[in-house]
Amino acid sequence: MTPFVGRNKELKILIDGMNAAKSGNGRMYFIAGETGVGKTRLIEEFAKICEESGVRTITVKCVTEKYVPYFPIKQILEKLTDIKYDTLDTLPLGLTVTTGDVSAELDRLKEATRTRTMILERFLRFFEKITEKETVFVALDDIQLADSGTLSFIHYLSRNIAHMHMLFAGTYPLEHALENSPVINTIRNINIERNCTILKLEPFNIDETGKLVYAIMNTWKVPEKAIGEIYEKTGGLPLYIEELCRAIVGQESVQDFYEFLKFGELEIPAHIKNLILLRVDKLDEDAKQVLRWCAVLGKTFNYRILKEICALEETQLLDAIEHLMAEGYIREIPNEDEVYSFTHTAIIDAVYSKILTPRRKLMHKRAGELIEKHFGSDVKYGGEIGKHYIASGDFEKGFRYFLNAAENALNNYAMEDCIQMLDEMERILPEITKGLEDDIAHNDMLKRYYLLNGNCKSCISDFDGAIASYENALRLETDVLAKANLTVKIAMNYLSKGMFEKALAILTEMSEKIPENAYLERSNVLGCMGMCYEKIGDFTRAVDYYAKSLELCKRLDNEIALASAYHRMGTGMCFSGDLKSGKEFLEKALEIRKRHNLKREIAGTYNNLGIIYTYLCDLDKAIECYTAAKKIYEEIGDLSGVSTAYNNIAGIYSMMGNHERAIELAKSDLEISRRTGNKHYEMYALAGIGHEYFEMKEFDRAMENFQKAMELGKEIGEKRMVSSITGQIALMHAMKGNFVEAYKLIEDAISLGRETGFWDVLAELLTGKGTILQIDKKFEEAEDCFLQALQIYRETDAEESAMSVNFELARLYIDMGRKNEAKAILEEVLAYYTKLNIKSMIEKINKELELLSKTNP
Ligand SMILES: Nc1ncnc2c1ncn2[C@@H]1O[C@H](COP(=O)(O)OP(=O)(O)OP(=O)(O)O)[C@@H](O)[C@H]1O
Ligand SMILES: [Mg+2]
């Protein structure tokens, strides 16, 4: 290898980063620059420095050949720990259960981003643990080739690296084609969040060019003038300088050397390609053959495959490989057994372009067959084998392998990779449907494809795409039970679109076709109908259907599905106001789920039990449930779950009047939201903290938090939250006697609230406006506002909210001296809350009633 030249500035920055990482302030760097400028070389050079100063160093190259989610991350972890790659493949606990419960499965898909966060968190915890003991430098070369899972991990890491003994560097080329690509978007976001430093490498200047030239051609006397010409021809790009110098070294004399420099009037890249080919031409036949095969196999390739694919004796092959390595074409990948890679894509491109198309097809076919023979059963190689078959013209086989790889990607919640492969499959779809319409195996494959495509589209909330794809599968399907499952999936997507009637219609039609004894499918369809009614707000009907679905589940020998049915039933009953029965059903679900150790599901049930206990005003019990849920979520790394649990517990402390504790919890929530980068949760946490300070009448602090929440809300376009917070700020101004500002803000909030179309926000804001007017002693206008809010709640059957507005109205009537009206309302409200047994409200109402009876004997 040629001696290292220049790059002092960049090395200094990286070394500063290394020292920071050593003291626990980890850093992330991206090294960018055009192809051949020296990105890879820079990290190699820096890696040496790290190792010399006792920093453990891992370098991994990303490669296109393998569409495997998190591949590089797993490779790094495998190198850093004793954990084997394949055990890293298992998903976090509680994720792999399949119950035959179609809607639950789809729900899981819809929560894909949340689940992905769990996976990312799990990886992060590995890194945190390793870097507790030693400082580690991780370099990922060519991250433009990384899968989307890996990119999201890099993003996740960037938010957390600052407190770790870790240094991370990624390289990527600056190319037009990459604009708006996933990698550029990821880095842009990390950069906006100020969690990285981007180092852009420039080509060499003339001095550096000279140094490199002298270093390569050490026995040659290179005239000063020639350096200038080399600099001009290569633009100072180290890769080109090297190639040019190597070609010159092949010349006989200085005279030829000058002739050579005049060679080719071509533009640089084409020129370089010619230079490369010229040099390749001088290789012996064996080496040339090996190089061609390498180009077909891709940027990295396995020695075993190469050995079988070339018609060469092993010693000859080894000679050829050594020769190619000495000439700088290929190199061994460190720490990996018998895997080689090309030093440059430019070389692959050049060599590959010289292979004739028919021969290419043959070579890809052979490559596909061999990799299939050795690694065909390993899903990691699915994408690679698929690519070779497609390139060889065997679309059917290629499609099949892609299908496996894409399914694997989705199972690992790497949606973008799945989509990428699905796109490729869609492209070749016409090729494989020709003349095979009646073939059963072929039909099955297509059904699988449409099903996967539908699942993937559901995952990314492309509901129309999902429906269309499931319908394609439905058309090919003849089995009525499979049809039932597909119908549930279609219905769930209509539900997500808010098309309840449509969803109900197709489910009803389907339910009539399913045979009596197909309990599982019937139960799925009826359960889904229950969900439709729940979404419409018809809880009585919803519970009816849940009950039917539950009865069918009981006849199945499938406890896990039964538990889901209990859970659904209990939750439905809770919404329909039958808290006691709801609790019993949830407890049944809990018992089964515990027996099967379904962690995530247990946490889900605990959470809903917490809600019931809150309604029942058994606050200690509620806290107990939420805390149990939180513990499980923490264990399995489901930070969204942890966040929700914190939120719920904080809400209870707030109800109990313990605002300090509520704030403390909300702050933990805030910290987690920042860790996961969930801006929605971050905003809710900030608003929650603001609200607590508001209750404590610490208006400045409240304002500060509200303001931050608002900023976030505006950034992510959450109008609902922005309007609601504006309302609270308005109220605060009114309480300080600052009415001008209060009225202005509340009007802003209301018009924004109307824009959002959420009736509950609007009603909440109208109530707020009423309170402001009441404080300002404009009682008639206040009454008008309360009545408007009340009407909205009544129209939408939001009974509890209506009651709370009624309570405000009663207090207003007290202020207005309309005591009889106030009394009547208070009694109605009291009866309602007594029925629900909500103690905190009962207390408040009784207090008002007492005051009334004192002043009005
Ligand atoms: N600072 C340097 N000193 C000496 N040689 C260098 C230097 N930088 C790059 N080179 C040489 O130039 C060639 C190209 O460099 P490198 O592979 O690092 O480029 P790259 O930016 O990673 O390109 P790509 O985008 O294709 O991955 C290599 O053979 C490398 O050894
Ligand atoms: Mg490189």
Side-chain angles (χ1 to χ4, degrees):
M1 195 178 280
T2 46
F4 188 70
V5 173
R7 306 296 181 216
N8 294 326
K9 192 178 87 216
E10 288 82 4
L11 277 177
K12 188 179 171 304
I13 296 173
L14 290 169
I15 291 169
D16 284 348
M18 176 183 78
N19 290 327
K22 278 184 176 173
S23 56
N25 302 311
R27 301 260 173 93
M28 184 171 276
Y29 294 93
F30 292 104
I31 298 160
E34 61 187 301
T35 293
V37 79
K39 303 177 291 291
T40 305
R41 184 66 194 268
L42 177 63
I43 54 169
E44 281 170 357
E45 218 48 41
F46 177 59
K48 282 188 217 153
I49 298 175
C50 282
E51 286 195 334
E52 276 163 20
S53 81
V55 172
R56 188 149 169 216
T57 300
I58 305 281
T59 315
V60 161
K61 276 188 188 309
C62 303
V63 289
T64 26
E65 281 77 25
K66 297 192 180 56
Y67 280 122
V68 186
Y70 311 108
F71 191 71
I73 302 299
K74 288 181 181 176
Q75 274 181 305
I76 295 167
L77 282 177
E78 199 179 38
K79 288 177 182 174
L80 280 172
T81 61
D82 307 327
I83 306 162
K84 276 280 133 243
Y85 183 93
D86 291 324
T87 38
L88 283 169
D89 249 352
T90 43
L91 289 173
L93 290 164
L95 273 183
T96 41
V97 281
T98 41
T99 59
D101 182 341
V102 185
S103 42
E105 183 195 322
L106 212 61
D107 269 344
R108 262 204 298 280
L109 284 175
K110 292 232 179 76
E111 289 195 344
T113 352
R114 171 169 172 180
T115 311
R116 170 136 79 181
T117 306
M118 280 173 77
I119 297 174
L120 302 180
E121 174 67 15
R122 191 156 167 270
F123 285 141
L124 185 72
R125 286 183 188 182
F126 276 120
F127 282 106
E128 280 181 336
K129 201 146 168 241
I130 297 158
T131 56
E132 253 167 37
K133 282 175 263 147
E134 57 182 340
T135 307
V136 176
F137 168 49
V138 169
L140 263 188
D141 202 10
D142 291 330
I143 50 174
Q144 79 280 9
L145 303 178
D147 61 281
S148 63
T150 298
L151 288 179
S152 47
F153 179 72
I154 295 174
H155 196 171
Y156 200 79
L157 177 67
S158 73
R159 297 201 199 94
N160 298 286
I161 199 168
H163 65 258
M164 294 160 69
H165 293 86
M166 182 169 173
L167 198 64
F168 175 94
T171 73
Y172 64 97
L174 290 174
E175 284 169 10
H176 268 305
L178 283 178
E179 261 168 45
N180 278 321
S181 66
V183 67
I184 296 298
N185 290 337
T186 305
I187 293 170
R188 190 177 299 137
N189 288 333
I190 297 176
N191 199 30
I192 289 171
E193 292 168 17
R194 292 172 201 280
N195 289 328
C196 71
T197 307
I198 300 176
L199 302 176
K200 186 170 174 289
L201 293 191
E202 299 294 344
F204 282 171
N205 59 29
I206 193 157
D207 283 349
E208 290 161 333
T209 304
K211 280 190 193 143
L212 189 56
V213 172
Y214 290 126
I216 298 170
M217 308 177 66
N218 52 0
T219 60
W220 279 67
K221 292 196 182 58
V222 187
E224 191 99 10
K225 194 172 118 227
I227 301 291
E229 286 206 40
I230 293 176
Y231 176 68
E232 219 156 84
K233 278 215 153 41
T234 60
L237 214 63
L239 172 68
Y240 294 173
I241 300 172
E242 259 187 5
E243 282 301 325
L244 195 61
C245 291
R246 285 205 174 113
I248 295 170
V249 174
Q251 303 301 305
E252 294 290 315
S253 66
V254 182
Q255 195 48 45
D256 290 344
F257 173 101
Y258 275 110
E259 284 299 302
F260 193 85
L261 277 187
K262 286 194 209 109
F263 152 90
E265 309 285 282
L266 294 162
E267 286 306 300
I268 282 294
H271 189 60
I272 290 298
K273 187 173 144 192
N274 277 357
L275 283 181
I276 292 172
L277 289 174
L278 212 70
R279 207 150 66 85
V280 170
D281 241 12
K282 296 211 175 101
L283 293 169
D284 62 36
E285 260 320 301
D286 287 356
K288 263 191 242 175
Q289 191 208 348
V290 171
L291 203 57
R292 272 198 297 272
W293 277 114
C294 295
V296 166
L297 288 172
K299 186 149 185 186
T300 57
F301 44 88
N302 187 295
Y303 176 73
R304 258 207 288 169
I305 300 288
L306 192 62
K307 193 176 81 188
E308 264 191 76
I309 220 167
C310 302
L312 283 182
E313 288 292 320
E314 188 149 10
T315 46
Q316 282 175 295
L317 175 61
L318 286 171
D319 284 348
I321 289 179
E322 267 166 27
H323 190 161
L324 291 173
M325 281 171 66
E327 287 285 321
Y329 291 111
I330 59 175
R331 64 174 86 150
E332 230 169 333
I333 297 192
N335 304 322
E336 263 191 68
D337 257 5
E338 307 195 320
V339 181
Y340 296 85
S341 88
F342 270 99
T343 41
H344 282 287
T345 16
I347 301 173
I348 312 184
D349 292 347
V351 176
Y352 192 78
S353 70
K354 290 304 267 191
I355 308 174
L356 298 175
T357 315
R359 186 195 284 274
R360 266 188 215 167
K361 281 193 171 179
L362 277 178
M363 290 174 87
H364 278 296
K365 179 158 184 287
R366 187 134 165 72
E369 282 166 358
L370 267 180
I371 303 173
E372 182 176 32
K373 184 176 128 201
H374 286 284
F375 306 107
S377 56
D378 187 342
V379 68
K380 281 205 292 288
Y381 291 86
E384 187 175 354
I385 301 173
K387 268 192 164 182
H388 282 302
Y389 277 125
I390 291 174
S392 81
D394 188 343
F395 295 111
E396 167 107 18
K397 258 200 166 157
F399 193 88
R400 233 172 243 292
Y401 272 102
F402 259 53
L403 193 53
N404 288 339
E407 279 176 352
N408 181 47
L410 191 62
N411 287 338
N412 282 282
Y413 297 88
M415 287 80 84
E416 293 84 348
D417 299 299
C418 184
I419 291 169
Q420 203 182 332
M421 285 183 270
L422 285 168
D423 286 347
E424 176 70 4
M425 285 189 263
E426 190 178 339
R427 191 182 64 82
I428 60 171
L429 202 58
E431 303 282 346
I432 65 159
T433 36
K434 273 185 218 148
L436 283 163
E437 283 80 4
D438 299 324
D439 185 300
I440 293 178
H442 184 263
N443 248 355
D444 282 346
M445 180 174 81
L446 285 183
K447 275 190 282 186
R448 250 176 79 202
Y449 161 73
Y450 285 125
L451 181 65
L452 176 69
N453 194 25
N455 286 346
C456 186
K457 298 277 150 70
S458 307
C459 230
I460 56 167
S461 304
D462 174 2
F463 308 123
D464 293 318
I467 291 171
S469 193
Y470 287 138
E471 277 174 348
N472 278 330
L474 203 58
R475 258 190 289 282
L476 295 172
E477 192 53 78
T478 48
D479 176 47
V480 64
L481 301 184
K483 277 186 170 179
N485 286 343
L486 282 167
T487 307
V488 171
K489 292 196 169 200
I490 296 173
M492 294 273 290
N493 276 286
Y494 277 125
L495 264 189
S496 305
K497 279 174 59 115
M499 295 171 66
F500 311 112
E501 307 298 331
K502 178 80 191 166
L504 269 174
I506 60 171
L507 288 167
T508 313
E509 194 192 327
M510 191 69 229
S511 71
E512 284 153 15
K513 291 185 193 146
I514 309 174
E516 230 16 80
N517 59 355
Y519 301 132
L520 180 62
E521 287 72 15
R522 285 189 78 80
S523 144
N524 278 338
V525 170
L526 294 173
C528 191
M529 290 173 82
M531 270 179 225
C532 294
Y533 285 114
E534 189 178 310
K535 287 264 161 71
I536 299 174
D538 185 344
F539 297 115
T540 325
R541 268 246 181 71
V543 169
D544 258 11
Y545 276 93
Y546 288 152
K548 284 186 199 162
S549 162
L550 177 62
E551 279 316 307
L552 290 164
C553 266
K554 281 186 184 159
R555 302 194 199 180
L556 287 168
D557 191 21
N558 183 342
E559 279 216 308
I560 296 174
L562 182 63
S564 301
Y566 277 134
H567 178 91
R568 250 191 331 240
M569 180 80 186
T571 310
M573 301 211 86
C574 161
F575 287 130
S576 73
D578 187 349
L579 298 176
K580 241 183 94 229
S581 317
K583 185 172 136 252
E584 276 163 25
F585 281 110
L586 286 180
E587 274 163 357
K588 280 189 188 155
L590 189 64
E591 189 266 323
I592 301 178
R593 289 178 164 179
K594 276 186 177 167
R595 204 142 28 77
H596 290 268
N597 199 23
L598 305 172
K599 304 220 174 178
R600 199 172 177 185
E601 284 76 7
I602 298 173
T605 305
Y606 267 130
N607 185 63
N608 291 9
L609 270 172
I611 298 176
I612 291 200
Y613 280 120
T614 313
Y615 284 154
L616 288 169
C617 283
D618 190 343
L619 299 184
D620 292 333
K621 260 279 196 308
I623 291 182
E624 219 174 88
C625 288
Y626 288 140
T627 310
K630 178 175 138 273
K631 233 180 104 198
I632 296 172
Y633 285 134
E634 267 165 356
E635 184 192 330
I636 61 177
D638 186 348
L639 294 189
S640 305
V642 179
S643 195
T644 315
Y646 269 129
N647 221 327
N648 289 335
I649 303 174
I652 294 180
Y653 279 111
S654 171
M655 279 168 78
M656 289 158 88
N658 187 346
H659 301 296
E660 283 88 357
R661 181 92 182 99
I663 289 174
E664 214 174 280
L665 289 159
K667 281 186 177 161
S668 305
D669 182 15
L670 189 63
E671 206 173 286
I672 291 176
S673 314
R674 289 190 177 142
R675 177 178 177 105
T676 57
N678 187 329
K679 296 212 166 132
H680 282 90
Y681 281 14
E682 188 179 343
M683 173 190 70
Y684 290 129
L686 283 166
I689 297 172
H691 183 77
E692 296 308 316
Y693 281 125
F694 176 82
E695 292 282 316
M696 290 163 77
K697 307 230 168 354
E698 286 196 32
F699 294 134
D700 289 342
R701 284 201 162 150
M703 191 67 105
E704 195 185 304
N705 284 285
F706 280 145
Q707 222 90 40
K708 280 190 207 151
M710 277 260 265
E711 262 163 47
L712 269 176
K714 282 182 185 155
E715 185 189 322
I716 56 181
E718 242 298 345
K719 287 186 185 164
R720 188 189 158 101
M721 196 65 182
V722 173
S723 61
S724 159
I725 295 176
T726 311
Q728 295 199 56
I729 296 179
L731 198 55
M732 229 149 56
H733 280 296
M735 289 167 103
K736 286 186 184 170
N738 192 352
F739 290 105
V740 182
E741 192 64 17
Y743 286 125
K744 187 189 154 296
L745 285 175
I746 196 73
E747 289 309 332
D748 287 353
I750 288 176
S751 67
L752 191 61
R754 275 190 214 284
E755 241 175 74
T756 66
F758 284 107
W759 52 264
D760 56 336
V761 175
L762 189 57
E764 179 196 309
L765 291 170
L766 285 168
T767 316
K769 185 175 172 190
T771 311
I772 294 174
L773 288 161
Q774 186 180 359
I775 301 174
D776 198 16
K777 304 217 166 4
K778 297 191 171 152
F779 297 136
E780 269 78 30
E781 286 169 64
E783 182 188 10
D784 194 42
C785 284
F786 286 144
L787 289 175
Q788 281 182 45
L790 204 56
Q791 192 184 350
I792 296 178
Y793 284 134
R794 289 229 167 97
E795 275 168 13
T796 48
D797 282 332
E799 216 178 337
E800 207 269 338
S801 307
M803 284 300 161
S804 73
V805 178
N806 255 333
F807 180 64
E808 296 301 323
L809 195 60
R811 291 217 282 209
L812 176 69
Y813 288 154
I814 296 174
D815 278 358
M816 292 169 87
R818 290 154 67 173
K819 295 191 174 148
N820 290 335
E821 279 163 278
K823 189 156 175 277
I825 296 176
L826 283 175
E827 273 161 2
E828 184 195 343
V829 178
L830 182 65
Y832 173 80
Y833 283 109
T834 312
K835 198 178 83 201
L836 286 188
N837 193 24
I838 297 189
K839 294 197 187 91
S840 57
M841 278 310 287
I842 299 174
E843 252 169 51
K844 272 192 194 172
I845 301 161
N846 275 329
K847 223 155 121 200
E848 296 291 337
L849 279 169
E850 244 168 66
L851 281 176
L852 259 184
S853 63
K854 269 185 205 149
T855 53
N856 191 12

